[in-house]
Amino acid sequence: MKDNTSIKFFGLALWKWFSMLILIYVFIAGWLIPLNPGIIKVAPESIKAGESVVLEVTGYNSSFVSDTAQVRAWLRLTGDTVIKAQHVQVWDNRRLTASFYIPSVFPMRQEAYPLTLILDHDTDGTSVLPNAVFATPAENQNPAEMALWFSDKVEHVHVKSGIQFPFRNILSETIRNTYFHVPMWFTMILLFAVSAWFSLQYYRNGQIVYDQKSVALIRVGILFGILGLVTGMLWAKNTWNAYWSWDVKQNMSAIALLIYAALMVMRSSVEDQMQKARLTAGYNIFAFALLIPLLFIIPRMTDSLHPGNGGNPALGGEDLDNTMRMVFYPAVIGFILLGLWISQLVYRTEKLK
Amino acid sequence: MKIRKLDKSYHIYGRFVQMKNLKAVLVAVLLIVVQLAHAEGAVSSDFISSIGKIYVVAGVCLVILITLFFYMYQLDRKISRIEKRYKND
Amino acid sequence: MNRIWTLVSTEARIELRERYALSGILLYVLSASFIVFSIWRQLPPKEWGLTFWVIFLFCSLMAVLKTFGKESEGRYFYYYTLYHPLELFIAKALYNMVLLLFIFLMLWFVLSIMAGNQIIRVDWFMITGLMACTGLSFLLTLITSIAIKTQQNASLTSVMALPLMIPLLINLLRLTAYSLGTTPDDNPWNEFMMLSGIISLVVGLSMWLFPYLWRS
């Protein structure tokens, strides 16, 4: 927020150029880096044990044709209990059929057995579709077939070289939203935090400048919060099938927005300038302190649809691979700098009035 | 007088025809709209989930960009207003 | 301490003299639980807990709303010269706490007549209630003191207080689930620590901020 002391370049502070550059990089990399090959669909969805089945597999971004003889397929029950496809027939780059014989006995007893399909290919590397088919138990069980489960192993798998984003089953291309939706929340929280800090400064010094700064930050924070909410709803509709699924994080962020909206309403209903500033500072500090358990502790204690362990507010190690990190962290930094920039503009406008 | 009356009635008839036409056109438009909406519904649900749901990402990016640009636009207008006031003073 | 006690007792005496205030709250509790019960007809344990806290929330808002409202400007000034703002705040919050405890017990009584007492661990529910009253009374007293400075204080109090109550409410519901026996979790101490953490945060912050907000 201190514009006059920062290093300038073409009349604009360096960090603003930096934020622009980062965001351009994020938009380009986030859109252009391709997705790993993956499996979209397997038909039929349910099969019977003790029979031969032919599975039709639809791939995504795949290039099965390039090395037809090398395509291998497995169905995995757990860990090392797998069966290999007897025969794989490639139709085109995105379609192949694999024929399996499902043994009539299973190492454990369940009502249905979810099987994971694994494809391995020279150029595409390995692609996995969890719970691709469900096997129902056979009528006549032949214990001798148990050995079939352990005769094969998933080995000598290939890794696709080059830079790609991972392919996740339901997400597919929407994994790119990680760089656009998630930074909205990071920005919102950071803007609110900085605003609470300025409120604290106002509490200490009583200079009206700090009040104006904190209010500008809250305004832009609310803007980013609404953006996060709307983009999240759009994403959720297409992956979780509902705009709003009463997920912990959704609720908590909506509550955070409610709190700050209430602050703005409260501000507008006080006339005296000093009174307004003082009440804002007090409520802001109080609200932000209560927001900490709301946003950081409670989501960790409940289950969530969001990634991260048990609704962990941050993304866990599993959800981001190194390629995604290379775009995600710059995205967070870029959007935070953009948020600070916009709030600086808002503050300067307010000061002019 | 007779002619006028006829004229008038003709006029009224003409209006009636026009009304009828209008109604027909309205109905046709409505039908087209409804059909389009149906078709669009069918297309859009397919469309959104095509190419690995890439249009969801496009939508998210558009929402962010449009909102931010709109906010900047409003801010710009606010600043212009203040500038105008300064000039007047 | 003595001075605070004087303030609390004055407050209570005034309240008791004006009968309609207390009986108004009592009626509010009765009619609210009656409406809710006539919609639900029967309350399984989980819903019992939810209903309890929802009614309690609104009753407490109702009750605390007029903390600073009934005094005239002159009396403010009198208080301001006579007492330190912190003393005033603690007195108000303590009085509100007693009021909320009264509501808590009354609501418990009313709901257990209407829908049966679903509480298995009475001691834990008492502790939960005590904590809820402490946290909510301090929070609400602070928020009302902010809202009283604005033009429309009644609506603003609920607008400002309700979202802030939610972190408290979520943990209250968890502890209540333990005392209702609807959770398989056999160890309430985790929730207890969390709740007491939030409450001490609320109490500490409101005591720190009130003298600052009270100046005018």
Side-chain angles (χ1 to χ4, degrees):
Chain A
M1 305 295 279
K2 278 180 273 171
D3 193 47
N4 40 4
T5 54
S6 55
I7 314 150
K8 288 199 176 177
F9 185 71
F10 277 109
L12 196 64
L14 213 54
W15 61 271
K16 295 175 185 168
W17 287 107
F18 188 56
S19 85
M20 265 194 269
L21 279 181
I22 291 179
L23 283 180
I24 290 169
Y25 159 73
V26 164
F27 269 85
I28 291 175
W31 271 92
L32 292 189
I33 292 176
L35 230 59
N36 247 337
I39 309 164
I40 289 186
K41 212 174 80 183
V42 171
E45 275 174 9
S46 67
I47 54 181
K48 212 163 170 95
E51 285 172 10
S52 286
V53 286
V54 178
L55 294 180
E56 272 183 55
V57 181
T58 314
Y60 186 78
N61 270 3
S62 50
S63 46
F64 296 142
V65 178
S66 64
D67 209 351
T68 316
Q70 286 294 313
V71 183
R72 293 177 297 167
W74 294 272
L75 280 178
R76 168 148 74 185
L77 186 63
T78 53
D80 264 349
T81 46
V82 290
I83 36 168
K84 198 178 175 180
Q86 294 157 325
H87 181 67
V88 177
Q89 173 76 46
V90 174
W91 299 102
D92 58 32
N93 263 337
R94 294 191 54 185
R95 283 189 306 136
L96 60 80
T97 46
S99 43
F100 292 91
Y101 176 72
I102 313 294
S104 55
V105 284
F106 290 86
M108 68 273 230
R109 187 166 290 279
Q110 281 169 5
E111 282 184 17
Y113 301 88
L115 297 171
T116 299
L117 181 74
I118 302 171
L119 277 186
D120 184 62
H121 189 219
D122 245 4
T123 43
D124 285 351
T126 319
S127 21
V128 178
L129 181 65
N131 304 337
V133 288
F134 287 87
T136 45
E139 277 117 34
N140 314 319
Q141 298 186 342
N142 180 5
E145 285 174 4
M146 188 65 93
L148 285 174
W149 283 110
F150 303 101
S151 58
D152 256 303
K153 266 187 188 155
V154 182
E155 50 189 5
H156 306 303
V157 291
H158 300 89
V159 177
K160 186 169 164 79
S161 56
I163 299 173
Q164 295 106 11
F165 296 140
F167 179 90
R168 290 264 167 7
N169 189 20
I170 302 164
L171 293 179
S172 56
E173 293 279 1
T174 63
I175 201 164
R176 295 171 200 276
N177 276 347
T178 318
Y179 319 126
F180 307 112
H181 160 73
V182 186
M184 297 293 123
W185 296 118
F186 280 71
T187 312
M188 181 195 85
I189 292 169
L190 192 102
L191 292 183
F192 285 163
V194 177
S195 133
W197 189 76
F198 276 127
S199 281
L200 200 65
Q201 293 299 309
Y202 181 79
Y203 171 82
R204 286 208 189 120
N205 302 340
Q207 288 172 340
I208 204 77
V209 186
Y210 291 118
D211 174 63
Q212 287 168 336
K213 281 181 180 176
S214 71
V215 171
L217 283 160
I218 289 173
R219 286 227 174 102
V220 181
I222 291 175
L223 174 77
F224 273 87
I226 292 171
L227 272 179
L229 215 63
V230 173
T231 56
M233 275 161 76
L234 196 61
W235 193 6
K237 177 65 189 168
N238 289 288
T239 44
W240 303 335
N241 271 327
Y243 288 112
W244 198 266
S245 19
W246 297 106
D247 186 69
V248 200
K249 276 189 206 172
Q250 284 180 329
N251 294 344
M252 297 302 132
S253 36
I255 292 161
L257 280 180
L258 276 183
I259 291 175
Y260 282 95
L263 194 153
M264 296 314 286
V265 170
M266 187 267 282
R267 248 186 99 78
S268 65
S269 66
V270 187
E271 259 149 35
D272 181 39
Q273 196 66 36
M274 297 304 281
Q275 185 92 300
K276 184 188 271 191
R278 190 170 44 235
L279 294 183
T280 308
Y283 188 73
N284 193 9
I285 296 169
F286 193 66
F288 187 75
L290 274 184
L291 218 59
I292 293 169
L294 200 69
L295 289 175
F296 297 101
I297 301 171
I298 293 172
R300 275 177 214 265
M301 294 168 71
T302 21
D303 288 327
S304 165
L305 290 162
H306 276 86
N309 196 14
N312 193 322
L315 287 160
E318 258 180 55
D319 304 300
L320 281 177
D321 74 340
N322 283 329
T323 324
M324 287 184 74
R325 275 198 190 99
M326 271 165 46
V327 187
F328 178 67
Y329 293 145
V332 170
I333 295 169
F335 275 111
I336 284 176
L337 288 182
L338 184 72
L340 289 175
W341 186 2
I342 298 176
S343 37
Q344 194 201 41
L345 290 182
V346 173
Y347 156 65
R348 279 155 70 183
T349 328
E350 288 297 306
K351 205 170 65 174
L352 274 179
K353 266 185 180 172
Chain B
M1 186 75 182
K2 208 176 182 185
I3 294 170
R4 227 189 224 171
K5 207 174 181 182
L6 207 132
D7 210 344
K8 205 178 176 185
S9 72
Y10 180 75
H11 186 67
I12 286 170
Y13 181 67
R15 256 171 75 188
F16 178 65
V17 168
Q18 269 182 349
M19 285 282 278
K20 222 174 155 185
N21 270 344
L22 207 78
K23 257 186 193 167
V25 167
L26 257 176
V27 167
V29 166
L30 223 85
L31 270 175
I32 289 170
V33 164
V34 165
Q35 266 183 343
L36 265 181
H38 265 280
E40 206 159 56
V43 167
S44 77
S45 71
D46 235 353
F47 174 75
I48 282 283
S49 55
S50 65
I51 334 182
K53 299 176 187 170
I54 189 74
Y55 293 105
V56 178
V57 189
V60 164
C61 286
L62 274 180
V63 165
I64 291 173
L65 288 178
I66 289 173
T67 317
L68 286 181
F69 281 136
F70 183 71
Y71 197 80
M72 294 310 249
Y73 164 76
Q74 276 202 325
L75 203 63
D76 196 292
R77 277 188 31 180
K78 209 188 256 174
I79 293 173
S80 308
R81 224 178 292 141
I82 293 167
E83 275 173 349
K84 222 181 200 171
R85 216 166 54 201
Y86 264 80
K87 245 178 222 167
N88 288 348
D89 285 349
Chain C
M1 200 62 227
N2 250 333
R3 288 152 67 87
I4 293 171
W5 180 243
T6 333
L7 264 177
V8 174
S9 53
T10 334
E11 195 82 18
R13 235 176 292 134
I14 293 166
E15 191 84 28
L16 282 177
R17 206 185 302 146
E18 295 161 359
R19 283 273 161 66
Y20 68 93
L22 264 187
S23 49
I25 294 166
L26 203 140
L27 269 177
Y28 192 89
V29 170
L30 255 176
S31 48
S33 35
F34 188 77
I35 287 171
V36 168
F37 188 68
S38 62
I39 292 168
W40 280 92
R41 293 292 161 160
Q42 53 184 17
L43 286 172
K46 208 177 166 193
E47 280 72 21
W48 195 94
L50 283 173
T51 314
F52 186 92
W53 287 113
V54 169
I55 299 175
F56 182 74
L57 212 76
F58 284 100
C59 290
S60 61
L61 255 178
M62 251 282 292
V64 178
L65 207 61
K66 46 181 185 40
T67 312
F68 293 98
K70 58 177 181 285
E71 275 114 359
S72 53
E73 283 287 326
R75 208 154 114 209
Y76 274 135
F77 194 71
Y78 176 65
Y79 273 148
Y80 191 61
T81 49
L82 212 56
Y83 293 98
H84 188 266
L86 198 60
E87 287 174 328
L88 190 65
F89 177 71
I90 293 175
K92 291 276 187 195
L94 280 181
Y95 171 72
N96 281 334
M97 197 176 122
V98 175
L99 200 64
L100 293 193
L101 259 180
F102 171 67
I103 294 174
F104 174 81
L105 292 175
M106 211 161 60
L107 185 60
W108 193 1
F109 178 69
V110 169
L111 263 190
S112 39
I113 287 174
M114 283 184 174
N117 188 14
Q118 312 273 8
I119 300 291
I120 297 170
R121 300 179 174 94
V122 175
D123 46 345
W124 268 102
F125 196 59
M126 283 300 293
I127 291 171
T128 316
L130 205 65
M131 292 174 89
C133 294
T134 323
L136 284 179
S137 74
F138 275 82
L139 195 151
L140 285 171
T141 312
L142 184 78
I143 298 297
T144 4
S145 79
I146 292 179
I148 197 77
K149 303 278 174 76
T150 64
Q151 258 86 54
Q152 354 91 325
N153 72 76
S155 59
L156 214 57
T157 307
S158 35
V159 165
M160 290 199 296
L162 276 175
L164 284 176
M165 284 171 168
I166 290 170
L168 264 176
L169 187 73
I170 289 171
N171 284 288
L172 283 177
L173 281 175
R174 287 222 184 103
L175 254 185
T176 313
Y178 176 73
S179 37
L180 283 167
T182 49
T183 166
D185 195 5
D186 226 28
N187 177 21
W189 290 103
N190 223 341
E191 271 86 29
F192 179 79
M193 290 313 287
M194 177 83 195
L195 190 60
S196 46
I198 292 179
I199 286 170
S200 43
L201 189 77
V202 168
V203 172
L205 272 176
S206 53
M207 277 164 66
W208 170 48
L209 287 171
F210 182 81
Y212 174 69
L213 291 167
W214 191 237
R215 268 187 270 151
S216 62

